[in-house]
Amino acid sequence: AQRVTQPEKLLSVFKGAPVELKCNYSYSGSPELFWYVQYSRQRLQLLLRHISRESIKGFTADLNKGETSFHLKKPFAQEEDSAMYYCALNTDKLIFGTGTRLQVFP
Amino acid sequence: EPEVTQTPSHQVTQMGQEVILRCVPISNHLYFYWYRQILGQKVEFLVSFYNNEISEKSEIFDDQFSVERPDGSNFTLKIRSTKLEDSAMYFCASSYYQDRDSEQYFGPGTRLTVT
């Protein structure tokens, strides 16, 4: 079965704290994984994809095939990072997790 | 920067009525998608469309749903006879490629409320 799991509905941290948003996937082939973000009253937009191995807005995500995970990390959270974060598996269509709301308090 | 647009932003309809949700994908994109998100649930794939044909559809996309690209710019989702459980946010997306590492660009969504 093709599935993406985000176990945390809500993650609350203070500004400057590290954050890790968890994502696990189930897929029999070689996965293509993305993180999408939705800021308040804005559209879903791509944050990063595993294949490009880039850091966007200080966020990174490493694909761990052994643990079937693609956790999103940032060493020092900022208030403007508050948003909904969706992990997604691309199989010519996007299969989304349920999302994690990140709240960063001042 | 070009964006996917969707109209209307909010549609209220009575059960049993037909609705058409409209999307204008990014102009040079070739692949088009509809997703929906029922309140409190995950974003779910409905259908993908390429070269004036459905490429793939989910089990949600039953006979009451249809998609069309009536001209060179619009991409529509029609729900023939709406049910209460069709109430959701409907997102249109488009991409230039359909490679599995290609980004899909999303519209702002249409909130459909069926009463």
Side-chain angles (χ1 to χ4, degrees):
Chain A
Q2 300 166 353
R3 189 170 54 246
V4 174
T5 304
Q6 293 180 252
E8 303 136 331
K9 280 193 168 179
L10 174 65
L11 185 62
S12 299
V13 300
F14 287 102
K15 177 182 166 182
V19 292
E20 182 180 51
L21 289 81
K22 292 186 167 47
C23 171
N24 288 89
Y25 67 90
S26 172
Y27 184 61
S28 56
S30 185
E32 296 293 340
L33 288 153
F34 297 73
W35 277 98
Y36 276 80
V37 61
Q38 188 171 31
Y39 300 102
S40 180
R41 298 190 187 85
Q42 294 187 29
R43 65 189 65 205
L44 273 165
Q45 56 188 281
L46 180 67
L47 180 63
L48 55 79
R49 70 194 94 184
H50 96 266
I51 197 165
S52 49
R53 304 184 65 81
E54 58 202 341
S55 172
I56 304 290
K57 299 185 179 183
F59 285 97
T60 58
D62 290 317
L63 177 63
N64 184 323
K65 290 187 179 179
E67 296 182 359
T68 60
S69 68
F70 187 56
H71 303 328
L72 184 68
K73 299 177 185 178
K74 184 168 182 176
F76 307 104
Q78 302 300 313
E79 288 178 70
E80 56 266 28
D81 296 329
S82 296
M84 279 294 295
Y85 290 81
Y86 295 95
C87 183
L89 172 69
N90 195 354
T91 63
D92 295 335
K93 61 182 183 285
L94 291 170
I95 298 170
F96 285 91
T98 47
T100 298
R101 178 170 300 282
L102 175 64
Q103 287 182 331
V104 182
F105 295 109
Chain B
E1 188 174 328
E3 289 185 329
V4 176
T5 59
Q6 288 185 245
T7 53
S9 56
H10 190 191
Q11 173 94 47
V12 181
T13 189
Q14 288 192 325
M15 198 166 52
Q17 296 297 302
E18 175 183 287
V19 293
I20 298 176
L21 310 183
R22 290 184 166 81
C23 169
V24 180
I26 293 172
S27 62
N28 65 341
H29 282 186
L30 304 175
Y31 298 88
F32 314 114
Y33 310 84
W34 283 101
Y35 293 84
R36 80 170 185 192
Q37 185 176 31
I38 295 171
L39 187 64
Q41 298 186 25
K42 63 174 68 177
V43 178
E44 300 173 289
F45 168 77
L46 290 178
V47 65
S48 58
F49 192 86
Y50 169 71
N51 201 25
N52 284 318
E53 288 184 345
I54 290 175
S55 309
E56 186 175 354
K57 59 183 181 180
S58 71
E59 56 191 30
I60 303 168
F61 194 88
D62 62 22
D63 291 345
Q64 70 160 342
F65 290 92
S66 62
V67 288
E68 198 177 33
R69 189 153 161 82
D71 52 42
S73 59
N74 289 282
F75 178 51
T76 61
L77 174 70
K78 183 193 289 187
I79 309 175
R80 259 180 273 284
S81 177
T82 50
K83 303 180 205 140
L84 293 176
E85 53 265 36
D86 294 327
S87 295
M89 278 292 282
Y90 288 80
F91 296 104
C92 174
S94 70
S95 65
Y96 186 76
Y97 299 102
Q98 205 180 30
D99 297 350
R100 290 194 299 117
D101 62 350
S102 293
E103 178 178 358
Q104 292 182 23
Y105 293 80
F106 282 80
T110 292
R111 180 170 299 285
L112 177 64
T113 302
V114 182
T115 62

